[in-house]
Amino acid sequence: MQKKQVRTRYAPSPTGNMHIGNLRTALYGYLIAKSSGGKFILRIEDTDQSRFCEGAVDLIYDTLDKVGIVCDEGPKNPGKFGPYVQSERLDIYRNHAKKLLDSGDAYYCFCTEERLQSLKNDDEFAGYDRRCRNLSPSLIKKKLHDRVPYVIRQRVPLEGYTSFVDSVYGSVTICNKEIEDQILVKADGYPTYNFANVVDDHLMGITHVVRGCEYLTSTPKYNLLYESFNWEKPLYVHLPLILGKNKDGSTEKLSKRHGAVSFKDLTDLGYLPGAIINYVAFLGWCPVENREIFSLEDLVTVFSVERIGKSPAVFDYDKLNWFNSEYIKLMSDDVFYNLSEPFVKKALKSSDYNFRKISSLLKGRISNFSEIKEKIDFLNECCDYSKELFINKKSKSGLESSQIVLKKSMDILEKIENFSHESVFDNLKKLASDLGVKINTVMWPIRVALSGLSATPGGCTDLLEILGKDESLRRIKKAIGMF
Ligand code: GLU
């Protein structure tokens, strides 16, 4: 028998930014499809109109585009299973709900909002009490005729168990009695997620349903729907939780309180799409080999469902920084310049600087672009010096030697006409030999005087060149005044 082509889908609800968890769902769905030559489908689940967020759909496209995930079918490139936006499929859901009403697997519920609310207020609330489950056909007819608002509910069997085997979590069994007669179609005529996902996954030929583990315990009721329709069930791949680390070391579900958690927030902070997607791949999966850097294409070749774990993954910003710094190191100087330039410009108050030169000093010294501000802020302001900074064993610098070097270097630097890296270096080298000290004994105090720091991107001559003659002399003079 010919093997069925794998078809997975990413089915986001456009309710806001694309969270890291959503991105992982999209990535794993994509990898599962692509690693077996299958198709990856995008479906927009916008049936909860109250949560719809303007611009969210564009963010989904933009994110997938930036990380290189290409959908084989979706709203923009429909295949033969469209429409791919749920709000455009309302008739499809209505017809399917009608089939369930006819077969008795669903029923009209006319309970008012107030009644449902009062049930919920009960301390022992265990779901809808099934009051409308057995209304007489004549009463239903009358209520429909009188246009009493209604929802359509699933008639879940009251006895027995429903089981399925999840590809990650293994066997899951739920006692039917504990499953609520869930709403399939709401009073506004829109289907619930619980109904629409089943209808769409079937009609779109989805073979593997890949989604967060929050849907694991709802899956039996979806399977009951598949059974009511007499449809073949898909394979389920539920993904482990993603946790964030709290300040006290404890962990809980990843949320905004842990920092940036959406793809856009992370890229705004200067994380690279390739590094983000590489790290996200590791949130719940690991390869056979002991290797960490994978492009999306590499991931397609090594990914397998068997290596998805069920224990929660912890989102670790240090690890993401590590990935990002590795990607920065691999970048060409030109690409680095183009990406860092906006951050450099934003960090500096003056636009007179040589941005390319500054940028070249930063490569290899940052793990993400948002660190640039902190690294070059000293260029904006000549800081207050702490005397201790001038004392440095390694360069054999003390307070006295530093004072001498600063004074002498003022005289020398003042006279240099062409204030280039080379001429400055040659002159300072000569000063060192005239003073009979090592070059570092000259460079150290000047660097401290220029920056007020013990560590800077670039050395003394780089800073002299960047700051230029006037500003360099002003800073050195200020430092001398402090002794
Ligand atoms: N629309 C659902 C969500 O965004 C998708 C869940 C699923 O993949 O079935 O959470």
Side-chain angles (χ1 to χ4, degrees):
M1 205 172 83
Q2 214 193 344
K3 237 179 134 196
K4 234 188 184 177
Q5 184 182 51
V6 170
R7 286 174 62 86
T8 62
R9 86 311 192 257
Y10 173 50
S13 304
T15 54
N17 271 346
M18 197 155 158
H19 188 273
I20 283 302
N22 300 130
L23 182 57
R24 185 194 56 178
T25 303
L27 174 66
Y28 285 18
Y30 174 80
L31 295 174
I32 290 169
K34 295 296 138 186
S35 58
S36 52
K39 299 270 186 242
F40 178 67
I41 288 103
L42 174 67
R43 178 172 80 224
I44 301 296
E45 299 204 327
D46 60 347
T47 56
D48 189 348
Q49 295 284 308
S50 63
R51 290 177 64 220
F52 184 81
C53 169
E54 205 59 48
V57 174
D58 289 338
L59 269 174
I60 292 165
Y61 284 123
D62 191 55
T63 305
L64 296 179
D65 194 43
K66 286 205 169 103
V67 298
I69 292 181
V70 179
C71 309
D72 298 298
E73 293 165 30
K76 284 190 182 171
N77 55 335
K80 55 178 181 179
F81 302 96
Y84 291 80
V85 177
Q86 285 189 329
S87 58
E88 295 166 19
R89 299 171 62 82
L90 298 183
D91 283 348
I92 298 176
Y93 308 124
R94 248 174 242 139
N95 291 339
H96 281 82
K98 173 90 179 40
K99 281 186 191 163
L100 293 181
L101 286 168
D102 291 348
S103 66
D105 290 307
Y107 61 89
Y108 290 104
C109 167
F110 299 95
C111 289
T112 60
E113 248 332 295
E114 293 74 48
R115 172 163 199 276
L116 296 175
Q117 200 49 52
S118 76
L119 284 178
K120 279 187 193 153
N121 291 343
D122 187 338
D123 286 348
E124 279 161 38
F125 176 70
Y128 175 60
D129 63 358
R130 304 187 170 100
R131 185 185 201 168
C132 295
R133 189 170 158 119
N134 293 310
L135 297 181
S136 70
S138 57
L139 186 57
I140 295 172
K141 206 168 164 196
K142 179 169 185 322
K143 285 191 185 270
L144 291 177
H145 179 264
D146 294 346
R147 296 189 176 278
V148 178
Y150 64 84
V151 299
I152 298 174
R153 288 185 184 270
Q154 183 178 2
R155 189 189 302 271
V156 176
L158 299 176
E159 276 150 22
Y161 294 86
T162 302
S163 303
F164 76 101
V165 178
D166 183 76
S167 309
V168 174
Y169 287 85
S171 170
V172 176
T173 300
I174 299 245
C175 178
N176 291 340
K177 214 170 48 203
E178 278 158 26
I179 303 178
E180 189 181 25
D181 280 358
Q182 60 173 342
I183 297 176
L184 304 177
V185 178
K186 295 178 276 186
D188 62 5
Y190 276 74
T192 54
Y193 162 78
N194 291 330
F195 186 46
N197 91 88
V198 170
V199 173
D200 288 346
D201 285 342
H202 171 74
L203 295 181
M204 293 182 178
I206 302 304
T207 58
H208 295 60
V209 169
V210 184
R211 65 183 164 212
C213 62
E214 61 273 26
Y215 294 100
L216 187 68
T217 52
S218 301
T219 300
K221 62 188 179 198
Y222 306 146
N223 277 344
L224 286 170
L225 286 172
Y226 279 93
E227 281 166 22
S228 300
F229 283 118
N230 211 5
W231 289 340
E232 190 185 336
K233 293 169 199 133
L235 284 173
Y236 291 100
V237 184
H238 284 94
L239 309 179
L241 267 181
I242 302 181
L243 305 177
K245 256 195 238 166
N246 297 328
K247 289 215 169 75
D248 64 3
S250 60
T251 53
E252 65 183 321
K253 196 168 180 237
L254 182 68
S255 71
K256 271 195 184 142
R257 52 182 300 209
H258 298 110
V261 287
S262 78
F263 178 80
K264 180 161 186 320
D265 290 345
L266 290 171
T267 49
D268 284 350
L269 282 175
Y271 289 100
L272 301 160
I276 298 173
I277 203 79
N278 193 159
Y279 177 52
V280 164
F282 278 83
L283 293 173
W285 167 88
C286 67
V288 179
E289 56 185 321
N290 187 11
R291 167 184 163 195
E292 292 186 286
I293 301 297
F294 291 95
S295 66
L296 188 61
E297 294 76 41
D298 294 341
L299 286 168
V300 169
T301 63
V302 294
F303 195 83
S304 72
V305 172
E306 293 73 49
R307 297 194 66 82
I308 301 176
K310 49 179 169 236
S311 23
V314 179
F315 189 85
D316 179 354
Y317 289 92
D318 291 338
K319 192 70 197 178
L320 176 60
N321 279 336
W322 178 82
F323 272 102
N324 211 55
S325 57
E326 291 302 301
Y327 275 76
I328 287 178
K329 279 183 216 155
L330 291 171
M331 216 173 245
S332 73
D333 290 347
D334 279 343
V335 172
F336 181 81
Y337 173 63
N338 289 334
L339 291 172
S340 61
E341 193 200 43
F343 289 87
V344 171
K345 277 192 175 157
K346 202 167 158 217
L348 296 177
K349 291 186 184 140
S350 159
S351 56
D352 294 340
Y353 290 112
N354 180 341
F355 295 129
R356 193 172 267 278
K357 163 91 190 165
I358 296 173
S359 169
S360 72
L361 299 177
L362 290 165
K363 193 161 173 237
R365 288 192 172 85
I366 53 166
S367 55
N368 79 61
F369 293 96
S370 62
E371 289 170 12
I372 288 180
K373 177 157 178 43
E374 164 206 333
K375 291 266 191 263
I376 62 173
D377 201 29
F378 72 91
L379 293 173
N380 289 318
E381 222 71 67
C382 187
C383 353
D384 292 329
Y385 305 101
S386 129
K387 263 192 187 178
E388 283 70 47
L389 281 179
F390 290 94
I391 306 167
N392 183 331
K393 259 198 190 151
K394 224 166 139 201
S395 67
K396 296 203 166 64
S397 301
L399 289 181
E400 206 178 315
S401 68
S402 292
Q403 235 174 315
I404 296 170
V405 166
L406 291 179
K407 279 189 186 145
K408 294 259 182 218
S409 64
M410 275 280 286
D411 301 337
I412 292 168
L413 296 171
E414 229 161 9
K415 289 191 192 106
I416 302 177
E417 301 242 316
N418 167 23
F419 209 72
S420 71
H421 194 281
E422 266 167 31
S423 61
V424 165
F425 181 78
D426 291 345
N427 277 280
L428 294 181
K429 202 168 144 204
K430 185 167 177 306
L431 172 64
S433 93
D434 290 350
L435 290 174
V437 296
K438 286 201 158 136
I439 183 83
N440 279 349
T441 317
V442 168
M443 299 295 192
W444 178 263
I446 301 178
R447 177 144 79 118
V448 172
L450 295 176
S451 66
L453 301 168
S454 57
T456 55
C460 169
T461 41
D462 295 313
L463 300 191
L464 285 164
E465 193 189 3
I466 288 170
L467 288 165
K469 187 167 162 179
D470 293 348
E471 180 62 9
S472 297
L473 289 174
R474 197 177 72 76
R475 292 188 181 201
I476 296 171
K477 199 166 166 196
K478 188 175 167 197
I480 295 171
M482 183 224 56
F483 281 96

